[in-house]
Amino acid sequence: MQIGVCDDQKEIRDMMIEKVKKLYPMGEVVSYDSGQAVLDALQFPDILFLDIQMPEMDGMETARKLRKQNQQMILIFVTVTQDYVFQSFDVRAFHYLVKPFEDAKFQEVLQNAVRQYEERETEHTDMKKERNPLLVTVKGEHITIPIEEIVYAEIYNRKIIIHTVDADIEYYGKMKELEKKAGEDFYRPHRGYLINFHFVQKYDAATIYLKKGQALMAKQNYQDFVKCYLRFNQRKGKG
């Protein structure tokens, strides 16, 4: 596990790094003096304390760009104002710390973030071990598709098209059966679509924009989708 601290003020970075190391002396801590430095890193940290009010690129813009590349990072905003609390929901922030904060509060937030990271890693490992892949028949050939690689599925010309991370697979089947097989990390926002919450980048009342492609949102499903997506984020430790 790698924990990052991004703040344009060196004294703040040093102070937070010291706190992290005191709580997790065996952990790896990385430091960034700007949002661009995080984006340019060869490896993103698993947990990131991110200042919002920074010159050139502020923390909120940095977070939006990070989310396009990394959906799993646990983001914790650190700032002197509460003005950005609601915007932080848009980038699925785990927590929002207002400076100055007490050591006990910092410890509580970090411990909760670490716990969420560890639970997610355990769940991910268990899923790989226990979850059976989807088996479909395409032109007489049996094909296995890992469930976690499905970005979304759609109905087209009486067929189901499954869009995975790197392929599109068409087969004759029923969306209800696929929905049941896919599990709770998936949602059916429209009768013709099934989406994987893991790949959602943004959404509105009409459309869900995914890492690859987009899906329609039925008007009557919007509020339920938002509730289910928030529960998914809480379950996965995304905020």
Side-chain angles (χ1 to χ4, degrees):
M1 181 181 63
Q2 189 181 82
I3 302 172
V5 175
C6 178
D7 197 296
D8 61 305
Q9 300 182 51
K10 186 178 185 302
E11 61 272 20
I12 300 295
R13 291 199 309 275
D14 291 344
M15 177 269 290
M16 294 186 66
I17 289 171
E18 182 180 350
K19 290 180 183 295
V20 172
K21 288 184 175 180
K22 184 177 180 180
L23 291 169
Y24 294 94
M26 301 300 292
E28 181 182 1
V29 185
V30 289
S31 173
Y32 311 94
D33 59 5
S34 68
Q36 191 61 54
V38 181
L39 293 167
D40 291 340
L42 295 176
Q43 175 185 345
F44 291 138
D46 302 299
I47 299 172
L48 178 65
F49 288 92
L50 180 61
D51 185 25
I52 292 182
Q53 295 179 310
M54 296 186 292
E56 297 183 10
M57 185 190 304
D58 66 20
M60 199 59 66
E61 183 181 356
T62 301
R64 292 190 187 100
K65 291 184 177 181
L66 280 171
R67 279 295 179 234
K68 292 180 180 179
Q69 302 180 57
N70 187 297
Q71 298 290 316
Q72 301 299 314
M73 183 189 299
I74 297 175
L75 284 174
I76 302 170
F77 282 118
V78 184
T79 185
V80 296
T81 175
Q82 296 186 11
D83 293 348
Y84 302 92
V85 169
F86 294 107
Q87 291 184 46
S88 71
F89 294 137
D90 294 335
V91 291
R92 302 185 298 283
F94 178 79
H95 204 91
Y96 192 101
L97 277 173
V98 179
K99 296 184 280 189
F101 47 79
E102 297 181 354
D103 286 349
K105 184 62 179 178
F106 182 86
Q107 179 175 343
E108 175 191 347
V109 171
L110 179 56
Q111 287 178 339
N112 286 339
V114 170
R115 186 178 302 113
Q116 290 282 8
Y117 169 80
E118 291 175 343
E119 289 175 355
R120 188 175 66 199
E121 289 299 294
T122 300
E123 181 180 311
H124 183 65
T125 300
D126 291 343
M127 184 183 297
K128 281 188 172 181
K129 289 180 180 178
E130 300 175 4
R131 198 166 198 180
N132 294 324
L134 176 69
L135 179 64
V136 299
T137 303
V138 181
K139 296 180 180 179
E141 181 180 358
H142 298 299
I143 298 176
T144 57
I145 306 172
I147 296 292
E148 64 272 11
E149 292 184 8
I150 297 175
V151 179
Y152 73 105
E154 63 177 318
I155 298 173
Y156 184 76
N157 284 344
R158 295 183 296 176
K159 285 185 178 182
I160 292 178
I161 304 177
I162 291 180
H163 303 274
T164 70
V165 175
D166 52 17
D168 298 324
I169 301 164
E170 296 184 20
Y171 74 103
Y172 287 101
K174 295 181 179 180
M175 188 66 90
K176 279 188 177 181
E177 294 178 357
L178 175 58
E179 182 181 5
K180 184 178 179 180
K181 175 72 175 178
E184 63 181 351
D185 287 353
F186 286 74
Y187 187 85
R188 198 170 176 184
H190 183 281
R191 63 180 300 274
Y193 291 87
L194 179 70
I195 63 96
N196 187 340
F197 280 133
H198 284 280
F199 295 100
V200 173
Q201 293 191 325
K202 62 179 181 178
Y203 59 87
D204 55 40
T207 309
I208 301 171
Y209 301 90
L210 301 143
K211 184 176 181 180
K212 173 187 177 183
Q214 59 191 51
L216 294 178
M217 176 88 75
K219 184 178 180 181
Q220 67 271 21
N221 292 337
Y222 179 63
Q223 290 187 353
D224 184 63
F225 169 81
V226 173
K227 291 178 183 177
C228 291
Y229 188 45
L230 288 174
R231 285 199 296 267
F232 164 80
N233 284 328
Q234 291 170 351
R235 192 170 70 249
K236 301 300 179 180
K238 294 183 177 181

